[in-house]
Amino acid sequence: MPATSHASGPGRYARELVRALVRLPEAPEIGLYEVGRAPRVFAGEALGLEGARVRRLVSTLPRGLREGLPFPGCGPADRALGGVELFHRILPGTPRLERARTCIAIAELPARGSGRERAWAAELRAAAGVFVFCADYRERVAERFGVPLERIHQVPVGCEHWSRRLPAPIPRADPLQVIALDSGPHDVLRAAVEHLSSPGRRVELVLARELGLSESELPARVAAASALVHLDPGAGTAVTPLEALALGTPVVLPRAPAFEEALGEQAFWAEPLEDALEAALESARDPQASRARIGYSRAFSWENSARAHLAVWNRMTN
């Protein structure tokens, strides 16, 4: 299960969704399938399962081996868990199931014409439900993979993960910092940041991937920055910029449908990039604007996301 081994992406989604689900009074019986040899770097408080009533199947045996063994707790995942009516996949195509109906959440799309796209097509068409996080992805999944729209369900994301990690507000860094989390060439961004610097105002660019910043280091670095830049035009979820808003940090983004739908007037749109950065740096100095960003982010909670997931699952099983 990526929740125990992957810091971001599907791992964070799985951790936060389960953390919220187990706290709902109306939560169903939940089984967690944690099989595989990936290093488990999250446990205890990070998973938020203290006192929760869940069935957990935990094994470091290779998933393929465990699924083929004829012993109790082995075999296909639904049988190993003692019977499952609906299995919510975090990654396409895994684990192997025997009878349970499946659903899957999609926050990114494979390259067109790739082998991964062909494998996903069969998986998504066979699923009882597909979960997406923006209206644009609902239409794109239907068009690319031939999944009927009535089987594609849009649910919100939450964004309190980073803010929960910080016990107290963090002051803005001096000199000013612009932090970029996504990978890829940053020549234009670097030039724009350098142009915004002057003898009376120094602006630094922090490239999180190049510095190797860990998931545990990111909340404080983003909270101290005067702008987060996230130049991912194909994003299927706005969770990263929303996490920055929850810390009061301005966000500079391309006009990707997922971003526009979730953030609206709370984002600084990167066309042109230098103007957006200038406006974001100015906004970072405004305490009222920072409070407004934090207030806006509170509508995006993992509790709301868990309730939306649960409503769909209930319709699928009733």
Side-chain angles (χ1 to χ4, degrees):
M1 183 176 178
T4 59
S5 57
H6 291 64
S8 58
R12 178 169 57 180
Y13 163 71
R15 283 191 304 279
E16 294 298 317
L17 177 60
V18 171
R19 173 191 284 268
L21 273 172
V22 299
R23 286 163 172 75
L24 295 181
E26 67 275 30
E29 185 179 0
I30 298 171
L32 303 179
Y33 186 74
E34 305 168 40
V35 172
R37 305 185 72 176
R40 285 164 168 77
V41 295
F42 293 95
E45 192 280 331
L47 296 178
L49 297 178
E50 298 85 350
R53 292 181 298 172
V54 296
R55 290 175 293 159
R56 295 180 69 180
L57 177 59
V58 181
S59 173
T60 56
L61 283 176
R63 183 178 290 115
L65 174 60
R66 186 177 187 91
E67 290 173 354
L69 292 175
F71 303 123
C74 296
D78 50 343
R79 175 153 53 87
L81 283 165
V84 174
E85 186 173 1
L86 185 66
F87 198 101
H88 187 70
R89 293 191 192 275
I90 306 301
L91 299 173
T94 185
R96 186 167 67 90
L97 302 173
E98 185 174 64
R99 296 182 178 178
R101 290 187 295 163
T102 66
C103 50
I104 184 168
I106 299 296
E108 63 175 359
L109 294 173
R112 285 191 178 273
S114 64
R116 193 163 169 241
E117 182 186 52
R118 291 189 292 274
W120 278 36
E123 171 91 10
L124 297 179
R125 285 196 292 268
V130 178
F131 287 73
V132 296
F133 305 100
C134 65
D136 174 64
Y137 259 47
R138 186 167 183 261
E139 296 177 1
R140 291 169 69 179
V141 168
E143 181 270 324
R144 284 184 62 175
F145 300 103
V147 181
L149 276 173
E150 61 268 21
R151 282 201 273 127
I152 307 174
H153 311 280
Q154 183 183 347
V155 292
V157 294
C159 66
E160 64 267 37
H161 173 64
W162 284 351
S163 59
R164 188 170 62 237
R165 302 288 297 273
L166 300 179
I170 291 180
R172 301 289 179 203
D174 183 18
L176 304 181
Q177 291 184 351
V178 172
I179 186 167
L181 304 186
D182 51 320
S183 58
H186 289 109
D187 294 347
V188 174
L189 176 58
R190 196 185 306 275
V193 170
E194 290 176 355
H195 192 261
L196 291 172
S197 293
S198 65
R201 184 184 70 172
R202 184 179 164 201
V203 185
E204 295 181 339
L205 176 62
V206 176
L207 300 178
R209 295 283 178 87
E210 289 188 5
L211 292 180
L213 294 179
S214 68
E215 177 73 10
S216 62
E217 295 173 302
L218 283 176
R221 295 299 294 262
V222 174
S226 291
L228 168 76
V229 181
H230 192 49
L231 301 178
D232 181 1
T237 168
V239 65
T240 297
L242 285 169
E243 291 272 17
L245 289 194
L247 300 174
T249 301
V251 293
V252 176
L253 308 168
R255 286 192 174 276
F259 295 160
E260 289 191 283
E261 184 178 323
L263 286 101
E265 296 180 357
Q266 291 297 324
F268 295 92
W269 302 112
E271 299 92 14
L273 177 58
E274 190 172 313
D275 290 353
L277 283 170
E278 181 66 72
L281 295 179
E282 187 65 28
S283 181
R285 300 171 53 195
D286 182 350
Q288 184 175 347
S290 293
R291 288 193 294 271
R293 285 186 283 271
I294 294 171
Y296 183 87
S297 74
R298 288 179 179 145
F300 297 85
S301 71
W302 283 107
E303 179 182 343
N304 289 342
S305 180
R307 291 187 185 281
H309 280 75
L310 184 55
V312 176
W313 293 332
N314 284 337
R315 291 197 300 270
M316 293 170 65
T317 55
N318 292 332

